[in-house]
């Protein structure tokens, strides 16, 4: 394999698998040799576009195809079982986010991968965006001073009423696990381990059985404060999805442009051209493949994947236990809206 491209199998032929298929075009380190999906027509259609074989189950694909690695693109509730199956067959695994829906299963996968000696990573595309990688270098250089505040927003108006993402039995939750997996991984990338988290839920305007808008408050172990907004029901109409504020400057990572400014100057300095989805997916594949070949280190380790699940599980625990302190200024003592106090509240 050292002189060849890594041979990949895709497990699942849905929307995220389509993104990977696009990224495999002109991919220098890997190629898709098989696609598996219980929906045979979907698997066949994706495989035809990739010029490879299709299968009606991942077990059949594992038995019949010569695979070095797989990318798991199925709904989250299936991740643990599928990943464990391939790890125990000594097949390297890239699992889409969220890695798993609970810490126990995530830790089991990490332990198995370490025991059998195969690569295990989580798909988290924003970590591979060129602008994000450059921004981290700028932050780490110290030119922005001491980092004080991290702000992230992934918000968009999307009708989730008929999508599996809003079915907790399949997805593990709502927008918190869906978009939050990206958010906490990004925060850890810039700031290191996370120490405390608190989550507040907004209105459910789509009448979904899961949370559709949340705000996450985070403290990193180094004392940096973070604020993360996630929503399927509103669009904040922001040019940047990530802003980091330091004692001597600010950096903004945007959809179309990324820039930073030091407090000693009035000029913003552009350093990136924004978010390129195909580039991010392709860089993720290449990093995984090169790690398998022993040519470079994984950007997202198995331990990073576990830490993401730990942060999201802590966030859900916070969401269920959030404590509000009423502001008593003549308002009705029991005034509440949608299960939340109608007054402003102190989180702790």
């Amino acid at each position: 394999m050292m002189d060849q491209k890594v041979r990949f199998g895709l497990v699942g032929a849905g929307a995220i698998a389509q993104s990977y298929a696009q990224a495999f075009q002109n991919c220098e380190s890997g190629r898709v040799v098989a696609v598996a999906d219980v929906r045979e027509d979907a698997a066949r259609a994706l495989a035809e576009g990739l010029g490879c074989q299709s299968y009606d189950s991942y077990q059949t694909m594992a038995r019949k195809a010569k695979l070095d690695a797989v990318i798991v693109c199925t709904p989250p509730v299936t991740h643990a079982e599928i990943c464990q199956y391939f790890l125990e067959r000594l097949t390297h695994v890239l699992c889409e986010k969220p890695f798993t829906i609970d810490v126990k299963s995530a830790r089991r996968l990490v332990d198995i991968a370490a025991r059998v000696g195969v690569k295990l990573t989580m798909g988290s595309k924003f970590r591979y965006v060129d602008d994000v990688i450059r921004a981290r270098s700028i932050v780490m250089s110290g030119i922005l001073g001491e980092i004080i505040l991290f702000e992230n927003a992934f918000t968009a108006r999307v009708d989730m009423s008929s999508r599996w993402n809003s079915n907790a039995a399949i997805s593990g939750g709502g927008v918190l696990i869906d978009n939050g997996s990206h958010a906490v991984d990004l925060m850890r990338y810039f700031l290191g381990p996370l120490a405390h988290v608190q989550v507040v839920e907004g209105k459910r305007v789509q009448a979904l059985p899961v949370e559709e808008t949340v705000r996450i408050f985070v403290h990193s172990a180094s004392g940096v404060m973070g604020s993360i907004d996630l929503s399927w029901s509103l669009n904040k109409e922001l040019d940047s999805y990530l802003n980091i504020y330091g004692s001597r400057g600010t950096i903004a990572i945007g959809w179309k442009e990324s820039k930073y400014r030091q407090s000693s100057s009035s000029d913003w300095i552009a350093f990136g051209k924004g978010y390129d989805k195909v580039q991010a997916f392709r860089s993720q594949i290449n990093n995984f493949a090169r790690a398998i070949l022993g040519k470079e280190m994984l950007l997202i380790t198995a331990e990073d994947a576990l830490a993401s699940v730990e942060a999201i599980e802590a966030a859900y625990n916070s969401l269920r236990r959030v404590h509000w302190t009423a502001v008593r200024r003549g308002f009705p003592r029991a005034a509440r809206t949608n299960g939340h106090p109608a007054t402003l509240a102190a989180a702790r």
Side-chain angles (χ1 to χ4, degrees):
M1 189 176 68
M2 293 300 293
D3 297 321
Q4 303 173 355
K5 290 185 175 183
V6 174
R7 298 167 297 189
F8 281 91
L10 291 181
V11 184
I16 197 68
Q18 300 289 338
S19 295
Y20 277 104
Q22 186 179 9
F24 268 104
Q25 297 176 17
N26 302 316
C27 183
E28 61 189 44
S29 301
R31 61 189 177 95
V32 180
V33 298
V35 178
D37 198 299
V38 292
R39 302 167 302 147
E40 293 183 57
D41 290 345
R44 188 179 306 113
L46 184 57
E48 286 177 357
L50 291 164
C52 66
Q53 185 65 44
S54 66
Y55 300 92
D56 62 2
S57 73
Y58 65 84
Q59 297 95 334
T60 303
M61 180 178 75
R63 288 196 306 269
K64 294 186 175 181
K66 293 183 178 180
L67 302 173
D68 302 311
V70 293
I71 301 177
V72 179
C73 303
T74 54
V77 72
T78 67
H79 286 180
E81 177 183 335
I82 296 172
C83 289
Q84 181 170 344
Y85 178 87
F86 281 102
L87 291 173
E88 290 177 342
R89 295 180 67 91
L90 306 184
T91 303
H92 305 286
V93 175
L94 188 164
C95 181
E96 251 304 308
K97 65 82 191 170
F99 183 55
T100 65
I101 61 172
D102 60 78
V103 170
K104 182 179 179 181
S105 59
R107 186 171 290 120
R108 182 173 68 250
L109 295 181
V110 172
D111 290 344
I112 293 171
R115 174 167 52 81
V116 302
V118 298
K119 301 293 183 184
L120 173 64
T121 187
M122 176 182 71
S124 189
K125 60 185 179 182
F126 285 97
R127 277 256 220 141
Y128 293 88
V129 174
D130 283 343
D131 287 12
V132 170
I133 295 171
R134 292 172 186 160
R136 185 174 185 268
S137 295
I138 293 169
V139 170
M140 297 301 290
S141 75
I143 65 172
L144 303 180
E146 288 286 326
I147 301 304
I148 301 169
L149 175 64
F150 174 104
E151 290 183 342
N152 169 229
F154 290 133
T155 62
R157 292 186 184 91
V158 184
D159 182 359
M160 302 298 291
S161 59
S162 60
R163 297 178 62 171
W164 61 256
N165 308 68
S166 62
N167 182 345
I170 299 173
S171 65
V175 73
L176 177 53
I177 193 170
D178 190 38
N179 292 349
S181 296
H182 280 310
V184 297
D185 183 63
L186 273 175
M187 190 172 184
R188 289 188 67 257
Y189 182 51
F190 280 93
L191 306 177
L194 307 182
H196 304 99
V197 62
Q198 177 127 8
V199 184
V200 178
E201 182 180 355
K203 288 184 177 180
R204 297 189 184 185
V205 299
Q206 297 189 46
L208 299 177
V210 294
E211 76 286 351
E212 59 193 63
T213 298
V214 297
R215 173 164 285 178
I216 310 173
F217 300 98
V218 187
H219 271 130
S220 74
S222 60
V224 179
M225 180 172 61
S227 174
I228 299 168
D229 286 335
L230 308 171
S231 184
W232 291 329
S233 299
L234 65 87
N235 190 333
K236 295 189 76 174
E237 310 290 350
L238 301 173
D239 292 332
S240 57
Y241 56 88
L242 178 57
N243 295 276
I244 299 175
Y245 303 88
S247 59
R248 297 202 303 270
T250 302
I251 193 165
I253 306 172
W255 298 109
K256 296 182 178 180
E257 180 188 50
S258 296
K259 56 189 179 180
Y260 72 93
R261 185 176 72 85
Q262 292 177 276
S263 55
S264 58
S265 171
S266 60
D267 298 325
W268 285 90
I269 299 174
F271 65 88
K273 297 182 179 179
Y275 173 62
D276 183 335
K277 182 178 180 179
V278 176
Q279 170 270 312
F281 272 86
R282 186 176 293 132
S283 294
Q284 181 171 258
I285 294 165
N286 280 325
N287 174 244
F288 183 44
R290 289 178 187 138
I292 291 169
L293 296 171
K295 295 181 178 180
E296 63 186 56
M297 301 294 290
L298 278 173
L299 182 55
I300 300 177
T301 66
E303 289 72 22
D304 288 329
L306 171 59
S308 173
V309 179
E310 289 172 338
I312 293 300
E313 187 169 290
Y316 272 108
N317 287 336
S318 170
L319 182 62
R320 288 188 285 266
R321 295 199 304 253
V322 65
H323 173 72
W324 295 82
T325 301
V327 178
R328 303 190 185 283
R329 297 184 62 184
F331 295 108
R333 188 163 63 94
R336 290 180 177 269
T337 303
N338 290 338
H340 300 286
T343 56
L344 292 174
R348 290 192 181 275

